[in-house]
Amino acid sequence: MSQKLDDNLTREYFFDHANDWVRDGYDPENARVYPTPFHRARVVCRILENKSGAQKIADIGCGGGNLAIMLAERGHQVTACDRSQKMLDIANASVSNKKADVRERLEFVCADINEDMNLDKAAYDSLLAMGVIGYLPSDNVLFEIAKKALKPGGMFLVSCRNRLFNMVSFSDRTRKEIETGEALSLLEEIDRLYHPVSPNDALNLLQKIENNSRSASRLEFDHEELPQKDKDAQVDGNMAFEPRQQTPESMALTASHHGFEVVSQTGIHPHLIDPRMNRLLPSGVFNRLTEAAEVFESLPIGLIWSSVFIGAYRLQ
């Protein structure tokens, strides 16, 4: 399902939709939108908490700066880069009312990943690239940047659109995988992720479903019929292009080729049901149910049902 991306089209999209992208991506209260960036940030913060002390971090493709600000608030020194000045204007506006020490730990820089990022060589403890790799011409670009910028033993965290999810989402992408003859290899990779679930993890899932069901039962449902355009809306909204996708195994191979080892691969908010149901169920039901599956996001099977995953790769 590879295709050549039009870089100008991508640039224009994120300029025209900068405010919508930041608002929708980080608002978990918006029941009609799946806030993937919010959950990516949650997982990144959790991964970095396992490393002791304040870190020097580069966040490339930082968008509206939400993750960079969260990390600065946690005591990290963050250089955040994006090629969209409009995104950086949003970021600077967001940080303007933060405490002085948080502002001092943040630097926002206008820079293009496709050109020289001009990051200090071997200077960073961690490098982040959230929601970026799919818009680049190849997966190698980010690993080359990370290899130069990270200290030995440094961590590269990158989020990917999960191609495996094409086989369980029953969407147009599923049909395309079948038409191109690549569905079988994806199913074989999925088969390798079916590992037993411990009694403790299973119990945690059931308890989370029970708690979220009680919460959902108190929602004030909007019973107004949704317009057909909303029923048919895809996760990527009005994008006129298809970002590239990866699988956990393909990313592990690319990481190894560039001298990185896999530390973890985490599914972002695994979907227990087809995400298109969010437009068909009463508002709030889908996200409450999906939230329960967070207990599986660090398990191998979580990578099957997640439309996005985060790979953590250590520079050897």
Side-chain angles (χ1 to χ4, degrees):
M1 288 184 65
S2 61
Q3 70 178 80
K4 183 176 177 58
L5 288 171
D6 186 326
D7 190 57
N8 289 328
L9 195 62
T10 304
R11 187 188 298 268
E12 290 172 4
Y13 175 83
F14 284 104
F15 179 87
D16 293 340
H17 299 279
N19 288 302
D20 295 339
W21 190 266
V22 174
R23 182 196 65 232
D24 293 344
Y26 286 92
D27 182 10
E29 300 304 318
N30 186 343
R32 286 297 182 199
V33 176
Y34 183 67
T36 299
F38 172 83
H39 291 290
R40 285 193 314 228
R42 173 179 58 79
V43 170
V44 167
C45 290
R46 187 184 71 206
I47 292 173
L48 293 181
E49 282 173 0
N50 293 329
K51 301 188 73 172
S52 60
Q55 296 186 50
K56 185 173 182 180
I57 298 172
D59 180 8
I60 59 178
C62 68
N66 301 70
L67 176 56
I69 293 171
M70 291 170 65
L71 294 172
E73 289 176 328
R74 286 163 170 76
H76 302 297
Q77 188 75 36
V78 185
T79 299
C81 309
D82 202 280
R83 70 175 180 178
S84 169
Q85 187 57 54
K86 189 169 183 179
M87 285 288 195
L88 295 177
D89 290 343
I90 294 172
N92 282 307
S94 297
V95 80
S96 62
N97 62 352
K98 300 295 182 181
K99 294 180 180 179
D101 63 320
V102 173
R103 296 197 304 271
E104 290 170 1
R105 288 193 290 270
L106 271 170
E107 179 184 14
F108 289 109
V109 179
C110 191
D112 194 329
I113 292 172
N114 290 306
E115 300 171 6
D116 185 6
M117 288 296 296
N118 200 30
L119 294 172
D120 293 336
K121 187 175 181 180
Y124 297 92
D125 300 295
S126 295
L127 186 140
L128 318 176
M130 297 293 108
V132 173
I133 196 169
Y135 304 104
L136 299 177
S138 82
D139 298 344
N140 295 314
V141 175
L142 286 179
F143 280 95
E144 290 167 358
I145 293 172
K147 191 170 184 177
K148 292 177 182 177
L150 285 170
K151 299 175 183 177
M155 189 82 75
F156 178 35
L157 303 183
V158 54
S159 76
C160 306
R161 291 168 181 265
N162 188 10
R163 192 174 173 189
L164 297 183
F165 191 66
N166 295 349
M167 300 311 300
V168 297
S169 60
F170 307 114
S171 63
D172 286 342
R173 295 186 182 111
T174 314
R175 183 179 296 108
K176 289 177 183 177
E177 298 289 8
I178 294 171
E179 291 172 348
T180 59
E182 299 184 59
L184 182 58
S185 65
L186 294 175
L187 289 174
E188 290 172 346
E189 182 171 342
I190 286 173
D191 283 343
R192 291 190 284 273
L193 292 169
Y194 276 103
H195 296 192
V197 175
S198 72
N200 187 59
D201 287 325
L203 180 60
N204 287 339
L205 175 66
L206 292 174
Q207 290 176 338
K208 193 78 181 249
I209 290 176
E210 182 180 6
N211 292 337
N212 284 13
S213 296
R214 291 198 191 101
S215 176
S217 68
R218 294 192 293 269
L219 293 172
E220 294 184 5
F221 295 138
D222 181 2
H223 294 284
E224 182 179 351
E225 181 74 7
L226 286 172
Q228 188 62 40
K229 66 180 179 65
D230 286 337
K231 289 183 179 180
D232 295 338
Q234 298 297 310
V235 174
D236 296 325
N238 54 4
M239 279 187 177
F241 51 89
E242 177 78 0
R244 294 186 311 106
Q245 297 175 295
Q246 294 75 29
T247 75
E249 288 186 5
S250 73
M251 285 295 290
L253 287 172
T254 303
S256 177
H257 175 75
H258 289 277
F260 289 79
E261 63 176 346
V262 177
V263 176
S264 65
Q265 291 179 310
T266 305
I268 300 302
H269 226 259
H271 301 287
L272 291 180
I273 58 176
D274 188 332
R276 288 176 297 180
M277 290 296 292
N278 193 22
R279 300 286 175 168
L280 305 177
L281 290 167
S283 177
V285 174
F286 175 84
N287 279 357
R288 296 296 176 92
L289 178 60
T290 305
E291 182 184 302
E294 285 178 18
V295 300
F296 280 3
E297 64 188 6
S298 295
L299 302 181
I301 58 170
L303 292 170
I304 300 171
W305 303 323
S306 300
S307 57
V308 174
F309 69 92
I310 290 179
Y313 310 101
R314 182 183 292 113
L315 181 62
Q316 296 178 297

